[in-house]
Amino acid sequence: MERDIAVPSRTREILEKHGFSFKKSLGQNFLIDTNILRNIVDFANLTEGSGAIEIGPGIGALTEQLAKKAEKVVAFEIDQRLLPILNETLAPYKHVEIIHQDILEAEVRSMIEEKMQGIKDIMVVANLPYYVTTPILMKLLTENLPVRGIVVMLQKEVADRIAARPGTKDYGSLSIAIQYYSEAEVVMTVPKTVFVPKPNVDSAVIRLTLRTKPPVQLTDEKFFFEVVRASFAQRRKTIYNNLVHNLAGKEKKEQVTLALEKANIEAKRRGETLSMEEFAQLSEVLKKYL
Ligand code: SAM
């Protein structure tokens, strides 16, 4: 039996054979620890009939572990140089398909309709390229895809911000944006030593379980997110100051005061203390006053 792709000696042989050189600009840090990879896959709770969508298969380390559990795996890879390598390393897994495309440009929904027909349980599982973590997650969450959830490796600092609760230093507009669409949890932290080359930052794995309905009722989602962003624009400022300076404008000071009163939120609180429900209430009232 051939060793797994992620076994360090096998990874080294694959990279040497193809004369592959890492591109930092594409966030290429490959995993060389099969235990970590199996853990990541376990967090996705795949069953025999599941489908998995991967972003950035690299030389196929995670793809292979997904292929052992899922009925179908589709992976998007931007770097053309990896295609012949993947063709070779994943040859034993006929139910794996690689798409040469930037995930940010991909029509993921049409891909699912075309290539995952009849599959009822779909998870996104990836060791993300860290330079585009947030755009990738926001794209996947806002497209209302028929997937159960997302299990991904990313920078630990971003993972902490995504899963943060109100009143903590990490809580901000990213926490609210992601938690509006999903339930977020940090499930594992990962040392730098399990990658080649070693990244400069610590890593963690998060699991996002998609919500079937939003946690708060909004009449205007876009405005809600504008209110949230404005409230965190300057973290040390009060919610009142942030809303006046970054949303309403000085000429509408009075309206901000009234809206805060009506929403039962003290003007001197800071954005980081407000729950999602409070932001929802505030944006509904502000919309009427501004
Ligand atoms: N999955 C592999 C592993 O765990 O060893 C590689 C992970 S590496 C952190 C990120 C991968 O994403 C690289 O293969 C890189 O070429 C690819 N990538 C970078 N930007 C991408 C994009 N916009 N769309 C699709 N793939 C991308």
Side-chain angles (χ1 to χ4, degrees):
M1 262 281 280
E2 180 63 290
R3 292 150 298 161
D4 281 359
I5 296 167
V7 171
S9 60
R10 172 107 192 269
T11 294
R12 205 177 319 116
E13 283 164 25
I14 295 167
L15 295 174
E16 273 172 16
K17 179 177 172 196
H18 294 271
F20 184 81
S21 54
F22 294 99
K23 268 200 189 146
K24 221 176 165 180
S25 61
L26 290 179
Q28 292 180 336
N29 299 93
F30 296 171
L31 277 165
I32 47 163
D33 187 314
T34 43
N35 284 325
I36 299 268
L37 285 162
R38 280 191 212 114
N39 283 332
I40 297 175
V41 175
D42 284 348
F43 286 121
N45 294 321
L46 300 174
T47 56
E48 266 175 30
S50 300
I53 300 173
E54 190 189 354
I55 296 135
I59 59 169
L62 176 60
T63 329
E64 174 177 55
Q65 303 303 327
L66 289 168
K68 289 182 185 177
K69 287 274 163 78
E71 182 172 327
K72 174 86 187 175
V73 182
V74 177
F76 290 91
E77 175 55 63
I78 199 172
D79 187 349
Q80 176 139 34
R81 301 172 307 150
L82 289 165
L83 300 191
I85 306 183
L86 287 162
N87 210 10
E88 205 173 289
T89 56
L90 298 173
Y93 307 100
K94 303 294 174 215
H95 55 305
V96 173
E97 208 168 318
I98 307 294
I99 299 178
H100 176 217
Q101 198 175 23
D102 178 343
I103 184 65
L104 296 176
E105 315 252 293
E107 298 261 359
V108 182
R109 174 179 289 278
S110 338
M111 180 287 287
I112 292 173
E113 281 162 13
E114 192 189 321
K115 300 184 189 298
M116 294 190 156
Q117 254 182 39
I119 294 185
K120 293 199 173 56
D121 178 59
I122 302 175
M123 287 293 286
V124 175
V125 186
N127 170 17
L128 290 177
Y130 291 178
Y131 75 105
V132 275
T133 304
T134 312
I136 292 177
L137 289 177
M138 289 317 296
K139 173 189 164 83
L140 296 170
L141 290 171
T142 53
E143 286 186 352
N144 198 15
L145 301 170
V147 307
R148 171 164 53 90
I150 301 175
V151 172
V152 284
M153 173 103 80
L154 32 58
Q155 307 93 304
K156 179 170 182 307
E157 175 250 326
V158 179
D160 288 341
R161 286 200 280 132
I162 284 177
R165 307 303 305 159
T168 64
K169 71 172 182 11
D170 290 325
Y171 181 67
S173 47
L174 183 65
S175 328
I176 296 176
I178 302 268
Q179 292 174 32
Y180 178 71
Y181 298 101
S182 66
E183 276 180 62
E185 40 183 342
V186 178
V187 288
M188 181 167 68
T189 53
V190 180
K192 295 177 183 145
T193 47
V194 299
F195 301 88
V196 279
K198 284 195 196 87
N200 296 324
V201 294
D202 288 321
S203 298
V205 176
I206 55 163
R207 175 165 54 199
L208 306 178
T209 306
L210 266 58
R211 298 185 190 278
T212 45
K213 70 177 191 23
V216 287
Q217 295 304 312
L218 302 171
T219 46
D220 187 342
E221 268 182 17
K222 190 165 160 278
F223 184 66
F224 167 77
F225 287 115
E226 281 168 21
V227 170
V228 170
R229 264 193 304 274
S231 306
F232 286 104
Q234 284 149 299
R235 290 188 73 93
R236 304 188 59 80
K237 283 199 171 166
T238 61
I239 183 97
Y240 169 80
N241 272 322
N242 268 323
L243 290 173
V244 169
H245 292 111
N246 306 301
L247 186 81
K250 278 192 196 139
E251 62 293 349
K252 296 209 170 144
K253 274 176 166 179
E254 300 297 309
Q255 287 90 324
V256 172
T257 304
L258 282 172
L260 283 165
E261 263 174 36
K262 182 102 180 149
N264 260 326
I265 294 164
E266 270 185 70
K268 64 174 192 302
R269 283 174 66 184
R270 289 191 184 153
E272 67 202 47
T273 68
L274 267 68
S275 66
M276 183 154 5
E277 291 71 22
E278 287 179 308
F279 274 117
Q281 206 169 342
L282 179 59
S283 79
E284 292 300 303
V285 180
L286 267 173
K287 202 172 133 64
K288 290 191 198 124
Y289 280 77
L290 292 184

